[in-house]
Amino acid sequence: MSFEPSVITIDGPAASGKSSVARLVAQRRGAIYVNTGNMYRAMTWAVLQTGIDPHNAEAVRLAAEGITLQSPVVDGQTQVAVNGHTLSQDDLNSDPVNRGVSLVARVPEVRARLVADQRALADLGPLVMEGRDIGSVVFPDSPLKFYIDASEEVRSARRRAQGHTDQVAERDRLDSTRKTSPLVVPDGAIVIDNSHLTLEGAVQAVLDALPASPLT
Ligand code: DC
């Protein structure tokens, strides 16, 4: 008998608060938390190490072929490792990675690889997976889809409070207008406006919409 665990998908724009919400929902439902943005960030970090310009999509495609990415699960959430080296939050959130990640993430071959890796994680058990295309492309058949939004003003303020100076509006523009798997509200997703909710309020809004039984 095939075992098909549930995947809760959470998509949304940069700094909408979806990572904090997804992590807590996963903890409370006993699921593995997967931050797919970190997978694109790890690929970007590794591509930048090769010294190529991330604006050059063909060079990114070629560089990515030589990069091995792993997503080991530690303490209920996936980490990201490049060629066996686990990356820190500082590596993943550095300014060069913030500037380059949307350029690397628009390359179709990079996306195809990471989407395959993301689907394979479902073999490990129930997941809460967050990103930009999880409900639309990675797990379009999931019955448990969310889209967490917040105003641009609130999102920019959140990034500044986290000590980042990147332009979320520019990243959103690239993520929403790229040809392959742009950021969209997935069909059937419940939209939560997180502009004025507390973290607990947003977590509760997701939990309230889920079936009562634990994920199987
Ligand atoms: O969630 P984040 O801001 O850390 O994501 C970083 C970038 O990765 C984001 O600007 C777009 C890209 N991304 C993507 O294209 N698809 C995903 N599923 C997750 C992230």
Side-chain angles (χ1 to χ4, degrees):
M1 202 171 74
S2 75
F3 173 62
E4 217 180 308
S6 302
V7 181
I8 297 174
T9 73
I10 301 187
D11 291 296
S16 63
K18 64 187 183 305
S19 301
S20 309
V21 173
R23 186 181 294 108
L24 282 175
V25 169
Q27 272 173 17
R28 297 198 192 158
R29 298 287 294 210
I32 297 169
Y33 165 56
V34 185
N35 176 327
T36 60
N38 280 345
M39 298 169 78
Y40 288 94
R41 287 173 178 276
M43 189 57 94
T44 304
W45 180 89
V47 162
L48 292 174
Q49 295 284 306
T50 68
I52 65 143
D53 177 357
H55 287 90
N56 182 340
E58 178 58 10
V60 169
R61 187 184 69 76
L62 286 173
E65 279 179 5
I67 295 165
T68 307
L69 203 70
Q70 291 112 5
S71 301
V73 178
V74 179
D75 292 336
Q77 53 184 302
T78 50
Q79 313 285 305
V80 276
V82 169
N83 297 334
H85 164 74
T86 301
L87 299 188
S88 67
Q89 284 305 314
D90 284 350
D91 293 328
L92 297 171
N93 290 293
S94 67
D95 286 341
V97 170
N98 281 334
R99 280 196 300 272
V101 66
S102 291
L103 298 169
V104 172
R106 70 183 176 164
V107 177
E109 290 81 0
V110 169
R111 301 201 69 81
R113 246 183 74 184
L114 295 188
V115 166
D117 289 352
Q118 290 154 13
R119 288 185 180 143
L121 289 169
D123 291 342
L124 302 179
L127 307 176
V128 177
M129 185 176 283
E130 55 114 334
R132 301 294 189 290
D133 60 343
I134 312 306
S136 57
V137 172
V138 185
F139 291 108
D141 297 331
S142 168
L144 307 168
K145 298 185 194 178
F146 296 87
Y147 184 91
I148 299 194
D149 210 350
S151 70
E152 193 185 313
E153 210 179 9
V154 166
R155 293 186 296 110
S156 296
R158 281 195 186 129
R159 285 298 281 174
R160 283 196 301 277
Q162 290 166 353
H164 299 292
T165 54
D166 60 327
Q167 299 296 323
V168 291
E170 174 59 8
R171 206 136 59 82
D172 288 345
R173 191 187 63 74
L174 284 169
D175 295 340
S176 304
T177 57
R178 68 177 175 228
K179 287 204 182 77
T180 311
S181 313
L183 171 67
V184 291
V185 179
D187 279 348
I190 295 173
V191 179
I192 295 172
D193 183 344
N194 192 24
S195 304
H196 304 293
L197 293 174
T198 60
L199 173 56
E200 190 53 36
V203 169
Q204 210 49 55
V206 172
L207 292 175
D208 286 348
L210 297 177
S213 61
L215 295 172
T216 54

